[in-house]
Amino acid sequence: MTQFLQQLINGLSLGSIYALIALGYTMVYGILKLINFAHGEVFMVGAYTGLYAAGALGVAGFEASNRSFPLYLAVLVLIIAMAAAALLGVTIEFLAYRPVRSAPRLTPLITAIGVSLFLQNAGMLLFSPNPQRYPAILSEVRFELFGVIVTNIKLTIFVVALALMLGLHLFVQRTWTGRAMRALSFNIDAAKLMGIDTNRVIRSTFAIGSALAAAGGILFGLDQITINPLMGVLTGLKAFVAAVLGGIGSIPGAVVGGLLIGLAEQLTAGYLSPEYRDAITFLILILILLLKPEGLLGVVRVEKV
Amino acid sequence: MRAAVRLAIGVGVLLAIFALGLGVEAAFTEYVQRIILLAGINVILAVGLNLINGTTGQFSIGHAGFMAVGAYGTAFVGVQLAGPVHGVLGPGVLADAVIFSLALLAGALFAGISGLIVGMPSLRLRGDYLAVVTLGFGEIIRILFNNAKFLGSATGYFGDDPSGLPAYTNFFWVFAWVAAIVAAIHNLTFSQTGRSLTAIREDEIAAEAMATPTTRLKVTAFAISAAAAGIAGGLFAHMQAGVRPEDFRFEKSIDMIVMIIVGGLGSISGAILGGIFVAVSLELMRDLQQYRLVLYALLLIVIMIVRPQGLLGTRELHHLLRRKKAAQPATPTESA
Amino acid sequence: MRILRRTLISGLCATLLASAVGCKKTSEASGTGNATDASEIVIGHYASMTGSTAHFGQDTDRGARMAIEEANAAGGVLGKKLKLVTLDDRGDSAEAANAVSRLIDVEKVSAVLGEVASSLSLAGGRVAQRRKIPMISPTSTNPKVTEVGDYIFRVCFIDPFQGKVMATFARNNLKFDKVAILKDVKNDYSIGLADAFQKAFTAAGGTIVVEQSYAQGDTDFSAQVTAIRGTPAQAVFVPGYYSEVGTIARTADRLGLKVPLLGGDGWDSPDLFKIGGDAINGSYFSDHFAPDVATQKSQAFVANFTKKYGQAPTGLGALGYEAALVLMDAIKRAGKAEPSAIRDAIATTKDFEGVTGKITIDAQRNPEKSAVVLKIEGGKAKFETSIAP
């Protein structure tokens, strides 16, 4: 039983990170009908920005003298990483996706794959292909509850992810830009006719999605102990599957999907075999697309001729 | 054309390839020969993938999985057959030829069947979803091979001999298959079936409305392209000491996509050029090795933005030549 | 507009091709001539310099390169300077074969060093054997590698021996009888070592309580660690690479799995301590040499490497260095840079003083080397015991 609970906790924390990344995928797809393959790499860049920002703010000194990194500096690192990722996301949109926005669906898909590959390999050149230890922006404290070990990092992941998701929900429901985003996801041409500056809204979408991914990246680094330039590849794909599972275009769907994928992966790794932890995600994708393509919380869209 | 004439041409082409092969082996170093063979294998991959991605417009990005199935299938069957066939025919070129042909056909069959299995559920999906599902299947196939103990799991399958798989692959085999597959797919593409495939690409719903059996055709095209990838895989395997799952990662699928994009999605001659381009450019760019993959990615992005139809678009080289001739006599425009 | 686009693209392609071909021409120009009568001796090295295992190839290359540069600074070998040509195989076996074939046909090497991964050594080794160019693998531990032919050698121990070392240590020194195994199934080194350990450990009367696995590149080991935590294992054998082992140790510590970890030479890297931190203390691994009981030669090597590259050498760097040393020694003894003479000289290497102790190449073209077992204490590896073949 304790093993099950342990796997459950691990799965939910992993799932929260997937949810954060999935939000970016789902928002972009909802508006542009484009799978932003490069989103996984934005997640990776966010994590590395956090690493370098923490280094610049002197985290090594704190670690060496066994003091904990001050909370306000940790928040600063988070903000820097989120801002950098937002900038990256917007730049990618401007340079690579906007020129092909009106092209047939295949073209932006290939462009997205190209951007993803570019960032992966540029990352290996810039950040060194070796895995690097993530700095202790949060010092680790362990508790044991009913035989299950929980660290404060896992709790932080839940809290931060929840807070960001709530924030996003409020943003999309209550603000003007949020409403514009929802309008664009219904019908982008009608939105233009309504006088909405679509380019600005799309930029915001990319910026917000990327910022969330960066937060996920930092949390991932804290939880997984090391990061490497290829960390975004598989994680990004799984987050995309999470978005599809929950219903692509649906924000609560991304959250639900992320948690489910995280759980499925952890339980498969624990009870079946770790070798199939990646395969199970793809299997879920195939099943959901065959059985309920609009996702768990999605809406069936009829294709009009 | 009458069957007898076709047969004569076929035999003639094979003999020409054989003679050319002898010439190449004499004239070039092993290093250059390897590049030529890899270019040929790339052509088979590209032309096969172009059938489903280009002509039929169904975007698959997991074809490395089928190449793996063909590679492992051919290698395994080849090793199993070696004993019995050598027993009957003794060692020598004839026995090797028999073993290799049978093994390649087996590999193609396995790959084709896996293409059917993957295609049937996947091809109900459209566009981006299909792409991701095929990617998933490609990875699943690779993970399965990685865990198959009787096929060597992560180390790979090296057959029974300590020096690895028998090196059957040579110029003749590669380019004989290139000729056969290009001819077959060319005939298919410019036939009635091919036109239906193009119709599916242009507007699938309209095609269905015209009573085209879209799902059946899509799955068939998918299986054929998988079988072609399987043959390429089998040829590839027997140039190597062994077959490893790591050789069929997502990067391989990306290489295949670059081949057909550069040449022009939907053009067979484009696919041929693209396949050659990838093999040759990888070697030429060797000195930029650190930046090789970065440049490849940039190339993909730039092509998509600046010239998404690649070199030839959906046209063929011989059509371009024909057009120049036809442009001479001025044709009066007809009223509708 | 179309004309402008077309010229832009053709211009871009032309520049790309030109730069590529231009670079190629310069490298070809410097590598022409038959190796045996040129003014320099050309040695090839094929490694994964890019791709997901790039750090292994780069580490090994640094070691080999330093050995060559030191030799050149001391006047070269047989009065000639040595040139090391490193080609990237991207971690792909077709590329490995291509790289070796290019080294032989274009760079005209007299001998080849490589590869790190056993499966890539098998791919490249076949080409080297067929063309009768001697090859020394610095770190491939799968026994099959040297079975490819009589031109293929290695300077590291093979899996069966290393597995037995740790099994013997666990059984006889630590007196454990229940051990769990956590192996990397994407890595043939890890699989081979795990198999060897299991055979030797059970033959010595121990039991393997559970076998868990992960894949190279994974970062999340909580599932496996949780599963092992529920068994009566007294230790966990983790024959993987340092990149994952450090994280595994931390995860084990975090999840309350308090038993020592055991491992092989794949652990050897300063990154292991950087990532593993305190969690890795109290664990043991087998290796080629102990830094604290080092010979003068290995101390000098570590110091020079750190000075030259700004980082301490990993086991891979040391073996790359050693492979190059063995090769250069063989060339010297052969008296000429002729491949078959070099091959014969390598085969008769006896008591050669490398950085990891004395090396003698046996009849199977593997080295007869003792292994040391190191214990990790206070963030450093300390000599614990030595086990001879």
Side-chain angles (χ1 to χ4, degrees):
Chain A
M1 189 55 184
T2 42
Q3 222 215 71
F4 177 72
L5 281 176
Q6 184 75 68
Q7 306 284 23
L8 199 74
I9 301 277
N10 294 341
L12 286 175
S13 76
L14 196 61
S16 311
I17 297 177
Y18 288 152
L20 281 174
I21 308 172
L23 287 168
Y25 276 115
T26 212
M27 290 197 296
V28 168
Y29 193 88
I31 296 181
L32 290 178
K33 307 288 178 282
L34 162 77
I35 302 180
N36 180 9
F37 270 100
H39 196 56
E41 273 58 57
V42 172
F43 157 79
M44 179 266 292
V45 171
Y48 270 97
T49 312
L51 186 142
Y52 287 119
L57 290 173
V59 69
F62 286 97
E63 280 173 3
S65 58
N66 245 330
R67 289 173 296 154
S68 50
F69 200 61
L71 190 62
Y72 76 93
L73 281 181
V75 174
L76 186 60
V77 167
L78 185 67
I79 293 176
I80 293 175
M82 285 171 82
L87 191 61
L88 179 65
V90 168
T91 312
I92 293 174
E93 194 274 322
F94 181 74
L95 287 178
Y97 297 152
R98 192 176 299 188
V100 296
R101 212 185 277 169
S102 50
R105 288 269 213 98
L106 242 40
T107 310
L109 175 68
I110 299 166
T111 314
I113 295 177
V115 176
S116 167
L117 283 174
F118 175 75
L119 287 173
Q120 280 169 45
N121 289 291
M124 286 213 276
L125 285 176
L126 289 171
F127 304 138
S128 135
N130 279 355
Q132 290 188 45
R133 189 178 65 85
Y134 214 71
I137 303 175
L138 283 179
S139 347
E140 206 173 296
V141 177
R142 266 162 251 156
F143 328 84
E144 199 166 316
L145 289 165
F146 314 110
V148 176
I149 302 202
V150 185
T151 63
N152 63 333
I153 293 180
K154 292 233 190 292
L155 289 175
T156 316
I157 293 177
F158 290 135
V159 168
V160 172
L162 206 64
L164 287 172
M165 289 184 242
L166 264 171
L168 181 69
H169 181 78
L170 288 172
F171 181 85
V172 169
Q173 293 297 330
R174 302 286 171 86
T175 68
W176 197 94
T177 314
R179 196 181 301 172
M181 279 162 63
R182 278 183 288 142
L184 259 78
S185 70
F186 273 113
N187 190 325
I188 195 165
D189 295 314
K192 264 193 228 168
L193 291 171
M194 291 289 124
I196 299 178
D197 180 354
T198 45
N199 280 338
R200 198 173 70 82
V201 176
I202 291 173
R203 261 204 309 271
S204 313
T205 313
F206 270 88
I208 297 173
S210 305
L212 292 172
I218 294 185
L219 295 170
F220 186 88
L222 285 172
D223 188 47
Q224 303 289 321
I225 302 162
T226 56
I227 59 172
N228 68 80
L230 297 177
M231 66 195 267
V233 181
L234 221 47
T235 314
L237 260 149
K238 290 181 194 166
F240 171 70
V241 176
V244 172
L245 176 65
I248 196 113
S250 153
I251 287 177
V255 176
V256 168
L259 292 172
L260 284 176
I261 295 280
L263 275 173
E265 182 182 327
Q266 204 65 5
L267 292 173
T268 308
Y271 290 108
L272 253 173
S273 162
E275 292 147 44
Y276 296 115
R277 75 187 306 151
D278 300 332
I280 192 75
T281 311
F282 290 116
L283 204 62
I284 292 178
L285 175 70
I286 292 162
L287 285 174
I288 198 78
L289 285 177
L290 289 179
L291 300 173
K292 198 175 196 295
E294 64 276 6
L296 294 172
L297 299 180
V299 177
V300 184
R301 290 260 172 92
V302 180
E303 193 173 334
K304 299 230 174 89
V305 188
Chain B
M1 272 196 242
R2 286 205 306 274
V5 178
R6 276 207 200 154
L7 190 61
I9 294 182
V11 171
V13 166
L14 285 179
L15 284 174
I17 294 176
F18 186 73
L20 194 60
L22 291 175
V24 163
E25 270 157 34
F28 295 111
T29 59
E30 179 178 336
Y31 168 65
V32 175
Q33 283 177 50
R34 274 190 70 91
I35 310 289
I36 295 177
L37 292 182
L38 286 172
I41 290 176
N42 277 4
V43 168
I44 297 177
L45 284 170
V47 171
L49 188 62
N50 185 56
L51 181 68
I52 186 71
N53 281 17
T55 310
T56 320
Q58 305 300 306
F59 217 71
S60 160
I61 56 176
H63 256 60
F66 303 126
M67 192 181 172
V69 172
Y72 272 101
T74 311
F76 186 72
V77 170
V79 168
Q80 307 308 313
L81 282 179
V85 175
H86 279 304
V88 171
L89 290 171
V93 183
L94 181 62
D96 285 347
V98 170
I99 298 173
F100 199 37
S101 313
L102 291 174
L104 277 175
L105 289 172
L109 188 67
F110 288 138
I113 292 176
S114 50
L116 274 176
I117 297 175
V118 170
M120 281 196 292
S122 318
L123 287 161
R124 293 178 208 199
L125 308 165
R126 303 281 170 81
D128 297 14
Y129 290 142
L130 173 63
V132 178
V133 168
T134 51
L135 171 66
F137 269 119
E139 283 299 295
I140 290 178
I141 292 177
R142 197 179 57 80
I143 292 173
L144 287 174
F145 279 123
N146 211 30
N147 291 320
K149 289 221 164 57
F150 77 104
L151 288 173
S153 36
T155 317
Y157 184 67
F158 290 86
D160 297 329
D161 196 79
S163 71
L165 293 173
Y168 295 132
T169 304
N170 60 24
F171 187 91
F172 172 71
W173 281 111
V174 171
F175 285 92
W177 277 105
V178 167
I181 290 178
V182 169
I185 291 189
H186 185 272
N187 288 344
L188 178 64
T189 310
F190 292 102
S191 72
Q192 173 68 43
T193 317
R195 273 200 286 281
S196 304
L197 293 176
T198 314
I200 295 176
R201 173 185 76 206
E202 295 299 325
D203 192 330
E204 187 164 340
I205 298 176
E208 275 228 44
M210 303 294 276
T212 317
T214 50
T215 311
R216 186 161 66 84
L217 282 176
K218 284 196 289 188
V219 173
T220 313
F222 197 78
I224 295 176
S225 77
I231 298 218
L235 288 166
F236 176 78
H238 291 272
M239 265 177 79
Q240 302 289 105
V243 189
R244 300 188 315 162
E246 274 301 287
D247 294 335
F248 304 103
R249 277 179 312 217
F250 183 52
E251 279 92 330
K252 193 75 181 197
S253 295
I254 296 287
D255 279 351
M256 291 196 246
I257 291 174
V258 172
M259 289 178 219
I260 55 177
I261 298 283
V262 164
L265 205 56
S267 160
I268 297 178
S269 10
I272 296 176
L273 289 174
I276 298 175
F277 168 79
V278 167
V280 170
S281 69
L282 274 187
E283 278 307 307
L284 284 182
M285 289 213 276
R286 189 178 266 288
D287 298 290
L288 300 167
Q289 59 201 31
Q290 261 196 311
Y291 311 104
R292 208 155 45 168
L293 294 168
V294 174
L295 287 176
Y296 246 43
L298 271 176
L299 185 66
L300 216 50
I301 300 172
V302 167
I303 290 180
M304 279 299 109
I305 296 177
V306 176
R307 191 183 164 88
Q309 67 271 44
L311 256 135
L312 293 173
T314 52
R315 301 170 298 188
E316 304 289 344
L317 272 176
H318 53 91
H319 291 167
L320 283 175
L321 297 169
R322 223 181 279 167
R323 258 224 227 138
K324 286 222 168 87
K325 282 190 206 157
Q328 301 317 344
T331 44
T333 47
E334 297 168 12
S335 48
Chain C
M1 199 51 196
R2 280 182 78 190
I3 302 173
L4 176 64
R5 261 202 196 171
R6 286 215 186 134
T7 36
L8 266 174
I9 304 153
S10 355
L12 186 71
C13 297
T15 8
L16 267 174
L17 272 175
S19 57
V21 176
C23 294
K24 174 175 176 273
K25 284 232 168 76
T26 44
S27 85
E28 273 205 64
S30 54
T32 48
N34 195 322
T36 51
D37 53 28
S39 60
E40 56 178 12
I41 302 175
V42 189
I43 297 182
H45 178 210
Y46 67 112
S48 315
M49 302 295 278
T50 58
S52 52
T53 49
H55 46 292
F56 297 137
Q58 288 173 8
D59 283 346
T60 318
D61 191 58
R62 280 193 272 261
R65 201 157 284 279
M66 192 170 108
I68 302 285
E69 280 168 18
E70 281 177 359
N72 279 342
V77 171
L78 300 176
K80 300 186 195 162
K81 292 264 186 247
L82 294 142
K83 186 169 112 148
L84 180 70
V85 178
T86 304
L87 292 186
D88 177 23
D89 59 27
R90 303 192 295 156
D92 182 88
S93 49
E95 282 302 309
N98 283 357
V100 175
S101 143
R102 184 183 162 113
L103 285 170
I104 297 174
D105 285 327
V106 175
E107 308 292 341
K108 310 250 191 281
V109 297
S110 312
V112 168
L113 297 170
E115 227 263 2
V116 168
S118 295
S119 49
L120 295 176
S121 287
L122 284 167
R126 192 159 90 153
V127 179
Q129 175 65 29
R130 188 180 31 201
R131 301 297 298 275
K132 303 238 182 295
I133 299 284
M135 177 179 122
I136 303 184
S137 166
T139 64
S140 291
T141 50
N142 190 313
K144 280 202 247 179
V145 169
T146 41
E147 286 169 22
V148 172
D150 58 347
Y151 270 77
I152 314 297
F153 301 85
R154 72 176 110 214
V155 290
C156 53
F157 21 67
I158 57 177
D159 291 335
F161 172 61
Q162 213 191 159
K164 207 160 70 158
V165 165
M166 276 325 271
T168 314
F169 181 74
R171 198 85 187 87
N172 300 349
N173 299 53
L174 297 176
K175 309 274 190 260
F176 288 151
D177 58 334
K178 296 192 191 52
V179 170
I181 295 183
L182 178 56
K183 65 182 179 189
D184 178 352
V185 285
K186 214 168 142 187
N187 177 352
D188 41 64
Y189 157 83
S190 187
I191 297 175
L193 202 46
D195 277 343
F197 177 86
Q198 186 197 34
K199 283 201 184 76
F201 194 68
T202 38
T207 26
I208 307 292
V209 291
V210 72
E211 215 175 277
Q212 285 281 330
S213 55
Y214 64 93
Q216 194 178 86
D218 273 359
T219 47
D220 187 23
F221 306 99
S222 38
Q224 295 93 321
V225 169
T226 309
I228 295 177
R229 199 178 66 176
T231 67
Q234 298 160 300
V236 188
F237 184 57
V238 193
Y241 283 144
Y242 59 87
S243 29
E244 284 80 41
V245 173
T247 313
I248 292 173
R250 288 272 295 271
T251 313
D253 184 52
R254 197 191 258 182
L255 292 176
L257 178 64
K258 303 245 183 270
V259 299
L261 303 181
L262 308 170
D265 65 331
W267 284 29
D268 189 353
S269 160
D271 278 355
L272 178 71
F273 308 111
K274 251 195 257 174
I275 298 175
D278 290 332
I280 198 79
N281 287 336
S283 296
Y284 304 85
F285 66 102
S286 55
D287 201 359
H288 309 273
F289 75 111
D292 51 339
V293 222
T295 61
Q296 199 185 31
K297 206 163 176 182
S298 61
Q299 296 279 39
F301 162 68
V302 172
N304 291 338
F305 191 102
T306 316
K307 197 165 72 165
K308 185 174 161 69
Y309 293 114
Q311 48 183 257
T314 63
L316 294 169
L319 284 170
Y321 185 80
E322 186 139 275
L325 285 185
V326 168
L327 180 59
M328 291 191 289
D329 173 70
I331 298 176
K332 219 181 307 186
R333 281 183 293 116
K336 49 185 169 160
E338 201 263 304
S340 60
I342 299 177
R343 185 226 89 86
D344 293 334
I346 301 176
T348 49
T349 305
K350 193 166 163 60
D351 288 334
F352 175 75
E353 184 86 36
V355 289
T356 65
K358 286 210 201 325
I359 299 183
T360 299
I361 301 285
D362 68 12
Q364 279 75 42
R365 296 173 294 285
N366 299 324
E368 277 168 21
K369 281 168 121 176
S370 302
V372 290
V373 177
L374 303 171
K375 180 173 182 183
I376 302 182
E377 259 167 10
K380 282 207 202 343
K382 300 204 171 95
F383 175 81
E384 179 77 7
T385 182
S386 140
I387 299 188

